[in-house]
C-alpha cells in the first residue's frame, strides 16, 4: 500500500441515497488518498454500499463500523484510525470538485517539500437545492495565496466569515497533539472541531479554489432552520465548549493575531446559538439563553461581557420580545446575502 498523503473521513448515517456521489469524488485523488467510510449505526443500505467500495478499492477505501454515536463520534473514530499525513472530513451528502482536489493534492506535496503545513484552507460552495441561492465562500481578502504563511500575515475577517470544517484540511499530527475529541450525539460539533485545532496551527496555506461543495436545502438536514430551532440546546452546548476550551488572554501572549481570530469565531458561534434559541419565541428559550450567558460569566466574566457586547452578539441579545424580534429580523436580512441553511 502506498504512503497516504491524506485521509478523508466520511461519516455516514442512512446515507444510501447520496454517499456514492461523495465517495466517487474522493476516489479521483488516487491511491495516495485513504477514504475511511464510517458507518454510524445505519439502518438502510449504507453498510452494503460501503462494503462494495471497500471490495472494489481495497487500497483506498476502508469501512469503520460503530454503534450510532453521531457525526462527531464518526470523526473521532476516523481520527483514531487515520493513516494520512493530512486529515479532512467530507460529509456523506457533500462532495469535492475533482479539478480542485487534484490541485490541492499538488499543493500539499509542495508544502511537504517545505516541511509541511498545519492548516490548508480552500473555498467552499453552498450548493443549494435552489440554485439561485448558491454562494461561494472565499478568503482572498484574508489570506495570501499559494504559499505557506503564519497568522501574522493574515488580514481581518468579515463579520460572517470564518474557517469551517468544509474549508479546512489539517495536518493530522496537529489534531493528535491537541487530542481533539468531539462529543457524541451532538449536532453542530464541526465548529468545535475547527476551534479546538487552532492553537496548534502555526502555519497556513490558502488555495483559492472551489474545493468543497456543501449541499444544503433539504428539510431533514441539521442546518435547516426548523432543526436549528429544535436542537438549539446543541448549539448552546457547542458554543459553551468553545468558550471554555482555551484562555484567549494566554493565547494572545503567544500569538495576538491567532487570539483575535479565535475571539472572532467565538462571537460568531455565541451569536448563532443565541438567535436560533430565541427563534423559538418562548419563555423557556429565553431562559436557556440567559442561563448560557450566566454560565459563561461564571467561567470568565470579563470575556463573557466582551463577547456579549460585540456588535453582532449585542443585536441578537437585545432584551424583551421587541429586542428578540429585531434580532431575528437582522438575521433574516443577513441570510439573504449568505443562505447557509
Amino acid at each position: 500500500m502506498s504512503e497516504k498523503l491524506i485521509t478523508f473521513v466520511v461519516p455516514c448515517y442512512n446515507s444510501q441515497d447520496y454517499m456514492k456521489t461523495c465517495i466517487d469524488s474522493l476516489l479521483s485523488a488516487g491511491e495516495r488518498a485513504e477514504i475511511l467510510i464510517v458507518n454510524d449505526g445505519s439502518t438502510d443500505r449504507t453498510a452494503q454500499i460501503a462494503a462494495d467500495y471497500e471490495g472494489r478499492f481495497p487500497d483506498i477505501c476502508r469501512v469503520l463500523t460503530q454503534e450510532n454515536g453521531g457525526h462527531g463520534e464518526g470523526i473521532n473514530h476516523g481520527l483514531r484510525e487515520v493513516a494520512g499525513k493530512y486529515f479532512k472530513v467530507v460529509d456523506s451528502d457533500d462532495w469535492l470538485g475533482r479539478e480542485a482536489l487534484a490541485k490541492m493534492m499538488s499543493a500539499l506535496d509542495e508544502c511537504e517539500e517545505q516541511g509541511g503545513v498545519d492548516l490548508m484552507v480552500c473555498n467552499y460552495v453552498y450548493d443549494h437545492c435552489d440554485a439561485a441561492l448558491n454562494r461561494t465562500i472565499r478568503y482572498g481578502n484574508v489570506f495570501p495565496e499559494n504559499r505557506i504563511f503564519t497568522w501574522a500575515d493574515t488580514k481581518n475577517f468579515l463579520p460572517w466569515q470564518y474557517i469551517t470544517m468544509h474549508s479546512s484540511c489539517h495536518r493530522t499530527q496537529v489534531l493528535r497533539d491537541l487530542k481533539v475529541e468531539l462529543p457524541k450525539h451532538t449536532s453542530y460539533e464541526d465548529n468545535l472541531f475547527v476551534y479546538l485545532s487552532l492553537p496548534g496551527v502555526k502555519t497556513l496555506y490558502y488555495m483559492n479554489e472551489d474545493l468543497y461543495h456543501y449541499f444544503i436545502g433539504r428539510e431533514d438536514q441539521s442546518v435547516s432552520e426548523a432543526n436549528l430551532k429544535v436542537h438549539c440546546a446543541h448549539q448552546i452546548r457547542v458554543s459553551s465548549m468553545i468558550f471554555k476550551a482555551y484562555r484567549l488572554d494566554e493565547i494572545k501572549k503567544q500569538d495576538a493575531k491567532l487570539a483575535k481570530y479565535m475571539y472572532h469565531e467565538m462571537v460568531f458561534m455565541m451569536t448563532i446559538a443565541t438567535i436560533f434559541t430565541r427563534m423559538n419565541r418562548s419563555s423557556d428559550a429565553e431562559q436557556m439563553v440567559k442561563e448560557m450567558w450566566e454560565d459563561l460569566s461564571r467561567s470568565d466574566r470579563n470575556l463573557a461581557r466582551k463577547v456579549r457586547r460585540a456588535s453582532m452578539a449585542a443585536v441578537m441579545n437585545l432584551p424583551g420580545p421587541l429586542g428578540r424580534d429585531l434580532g431575528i429580523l437582522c438575521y433574516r436580512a443577513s441570510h439573504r446575502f449568505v443562505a447557509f441553511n
Side-chain angles (χ1 to χ4, degrees), residues 52-67:
D52 176 66
Y53 275 102
E54 185 178 54
R56 289 190 291 133
F57 305 98
D59 292 332
I60 302 176
C61 296
R62 186 151 57 101
V63 179
L64 306 179
T65 303
Q66 64 183 37
E67 294 183 4

Side-chain angles (χ1 to χ4, degrees), residues 295-338:
D295 177 53
L296 300 183
S297 292
R298 285 191 291 270
S299 177
D300 189 329
R301 184 171 185 173
N302 290 332
L303 181 58
R305 183 186 296 115
K306 182 181 177 183
V307 172
R308 192 167 187 173
R309 289 178 178 176
S311 56
M312 186 189 303
V315 172
M316 302 308 174
N317 276 290
L318 291 171
L322 183 60
R324 177 194 62 204
D325 292 346
L326 180 59
I328 293 172
L329 182 64
C330 290
Y331 160 77
R332 300 281 185 217
S334 63
H335 189 268
R336 295 177 64 181
F337 292 94
V338 182

Side-chain angles (χ1 to χ4, degrees), residues 114-129:
Q114 301 174 59
V117 67
D118 296 328
L119 177 66
M120 175 168 284
V121 178
C122 300
N123 305 333
Y124 66 100
V125 181
Y126 284 110
D127 267 296
H128 206 282
C129 289

Side-chain angles (χ1 to χ4, degrees), residues 12-66:
C12 296
Y13 175 72
N14 289 351
S15 304
Q16 65 176 24
D17 294 335
Y18 35 77
M19 60 190 290
K20 291 182 179 180
T21 298
C22 173
I23 298 169
D24 287 345
S25 75
L26 304 180
L27 285 168
S28 67
E31 292 192 1
R32 296 189 66 208
E34 173 186 49
I35 304 173
L36 300 180
I37 308 169
V38 185
N39 177 24
D40 183 35
S42 299
T43 58
D44 63 357
R45 294 186 60 253
T46 292
Q48 295 95 305
I49 294 170
D52 176 66
Y53 275 102
E54 185 178 54
R56 289 190 291 133
F57 305 98
D59 292 332
I60 302 176
C61 296
R62 186 151 57 101
V63 179
L64 306 179
T65 303
Q66 64 183 37

Side-chain angles (χ1 to χ4, degrees), residues 24-251:
D24 287 345
S25 75
L26 304 180
L27 285 168
S28 67
E31 292 192 1
R32 296 189 66 208
E34 173 186 49
I35 304 173
L36 300 180
I37 308 169
V38 185
N39 177 24
D40 183 35
S42 299
T43 58
D44 63 357
R45 294 186 60 253
T46 292
Q48 295 95 305
I49 294 170
D52 176 66
Y53 275 102
E54 185 178 54
R56 289 190 291 133
F57 305 98
D59 292 332
I60 302 176
C61 296
R62 186 151 57 101
V63 179
L64 306 179
T65 303
Q66 64 183 37
E67 294 183 4
N68 181 258
H71 185 263
E73 181 60 15
I75 295 170
N76 293 338
H77 199 161
L79 271 172
R80 290 191 288 268
E81 300 287 339
V82 57
K85 292 182 179 179
Y86 294 90
F87 182 92
K88 183 164 183 61
V89 179
V90 184
D91 288 342
S92 59
D93 54 348
D94 300 334
W95 65 95
L96 301 187
R98 286 168 171 77
E99 290 186 11
L101 176 54
K103 291 179 180 179
M104 187 187 79
M105 296 290 285
S106 295
L108 288 175
D109 276 330
E110 292 176 9
C111 290
E112 282 297 292
E113 291 174 0
Q114 301 174 59
V117 67
D118 296 328
L119 177 66
M120 175 168 284
V121 178
C122 300
N123 305 333
Y124 66 100
V125 181
Y126 284 110
D127 267 296
H128 206 282
C129 289
D130 179 357
L133 297 175
N134 287 359
R135 296 289 186 275
T136 300
I137 304 302
R138 300 182 175 90
Y139 301 88
N141 60 305
V142 180
F143 299 139
E145 297 182 21
N146 303 323
R147 68 175 178 86
I148 295 175
F149 58 92
T150 68
W151 290 104
D153 300 308
T154 62
K155 298 179 182 178
N156 292 331
F157 288 77
L158 297 173
W160 46 265
Q161 192 178 35
Y162 64 106
I163 301 169
T164 68
M165 184 175 282
H166 315 306
S167 62
S168 61
C169 174
H170 290 82
R171 175 176 280 280
T172 301
Q173 196 60 47
V174 169
L175 303 173
R176 285 175 170 160
D177 289 347
L178 289 171
K179 297 180 173 57
V180 171
E181 185 169 358
L182 302 176
K184 292 184 178 181
H185 299 295
T186 302
S187 299
Y188 321 117
E189 83 300 326
D190 51 337
N191 299 314
L192 178 64
F193 173 84
V194 174
Y195 190 85
L196 290 177
S197 74
L198 289 172
V201 173
K202 310 303 181 186
T203 57
L204 304 91
Y205 186 104
Y206 171 52
M207 191 180 75
N208 190 5
E209 296 286 341
D210 299 348
L211 175 68
Y212 195 105
H213 291 260
Y214 177 25
F215 183 66
I216 56 173
R218 295 199 327 266
E219 292 184 359
D220 63 333
Q221 286 181 298
S222 62
V223 294
S224 70
E225 185 172 305
N227 281 325
L228 281 163
K229 289 163 59 179
V230 169
H231 300 300
C232 59
H234 293 225
Q235 287 276 13
I236 287 176
R237 182 184 182 192
V238 168
S239 296
S240 297
M241 293 177 73
I242 285 174
F243 184 93
K244 298 175 183 179
Y246 300 109
R247 294 283 306 190
L248 293 191
D249 51 354
E250 293 299 320
I251 290 175

